[in-house]
Amino acid sequence: MVTSLYSVARRPGRTAGVGIATAGLLVLTGCGDEDPPPLEDLAEDILESVEQAESFTVLSDGDWDAAFASDPMLDDMDVDEDDQEVLVHFTDGGDRVFMQAHVLDVEWDMLFLRSEGVAYMPVSAFVDLMELGAEAEGDDINSFIDAEGFREEAGDRWLIIEDIPESEMEELEIDGLLNEYGFDDAPSLAEQYSSEGELQERDGTSVWVYDGEDEAELVVLADADAPYFVELSYYDDDAHVTERYSNWNEAPETEEPSEDDIMTEQELEELLMGHIVF
């Protein structure tokens, strides 16, 4: 279940055709005022800055017009094409990952504790996602589940998902994030963008901007000692993705729910069975 839910949020135009694009505000203030170094000289420092960060935040949104137009299932859904975003806080060196998704007019949270192989999500969001799946198939969830009754009984409790395979948790590693961009090492990062950058100011922050193909853009903090990601933009399938990063080493940490607010998967199944419409 974790794999399918996570993939809905993070792989644009696939499964439900939704993409995770990113947008956000950088809270760091830039101090760089020098010409950008050649990217091949800076690439190693960029990757090290990201990999060694204790925490950071990614806020994702995008231009979904092409993705919706190319997927008949999405085109038939009554949603705002531009109102899709996912906010992710990576804390504890990436061992704690909190995701807030707003996708296809459904909002839900997930907290992943990588070292423990555990994840949490609001129980009420489970039926919200079922409702989304039913709508995508042209069905009405209320024809087989009393959705409102389920939500009322679920309240504010959280579902605990235990014993998640390590292979699935690896998808949330910082290295996995970098590999998804094709940044396996410094040369692979540098080869995707122009060697020469441009000094700019964005949202009051001095940045170095390196252009790539098809409107791709790498934007890093104009600081040779800490060239953190500020923004990445690229095409993923038909969706133009823009990802902006913030809260470097200052991202808020989300605590896991209390034991009194936790529901097991078996308890969830029992709750669902109690609200099936015969």
Side-chain angles (χ1 to χ4, degrees), residues 84 96 171 188 252:
Q84 320 291 323
R96 183 179 297 253
E171 295 183 13
S188 63

Side-chain angles (χ1 to χ4, degrees), residues 21-24 59-63 231-234 240-244:
T22 47
L59 175 62
S60 310
D61 65 18
D63 177 6
E231 183 177 309
L232 291 170
S233 61
Y234 53 91
H240 184 244
V241 178
T242 302
E243 302 189 342
R244 298 189 182 99

Side-chain angles (χ1 to χ4, degrees), residues 5 8 77 101 103-109 121-136 141-142 144-148 150-152 154-155 268 272:
L5 292 180
V8 166
M77 299 183 71
V103 177
L104 294 181
D105 288 349
V106 177
E107 298 183 29
W108 76 95
D109 300 341
M121 67 177 294
V123 176
S124 59
F126 185 83
V127 78
D128 292 341
L129 291 167
M130 289 182 63
E131 189 170 30
L132 171 64
E135 182 183 353
I141 190 174
N142 293 297
F144 53 90
I145 289 180
D146 174 15
E148 289 308 311
F150 178 96
R151 291 188 181 97
E152 183 176 351
L268 172 63
L272 279 172

Side-chain angles (χ1 to χ4, degrees), residues 5-53:
L5 292 180
Y6 184 59
S7 64
V8 166
R10 78 190 286 263
R11 296 304 308 150
R14 299 177 187 175
T15 305
V18 179
I20 185 173
T22 47
L25 297 176
L26 185 76
V27 297
L28 295 171
T29 55
C31 56
D33 56 3
E34 58 188 55
D35 291 334
L39 183 55
E40 57 269 23
D41 295 342
L42 187 66
E44 187 70 39
D45 293 328
I46 293 174
L47 295 181
E48 286 185 359
S49 293
V50 176
E51 291 170 342
Q52 295 175 9

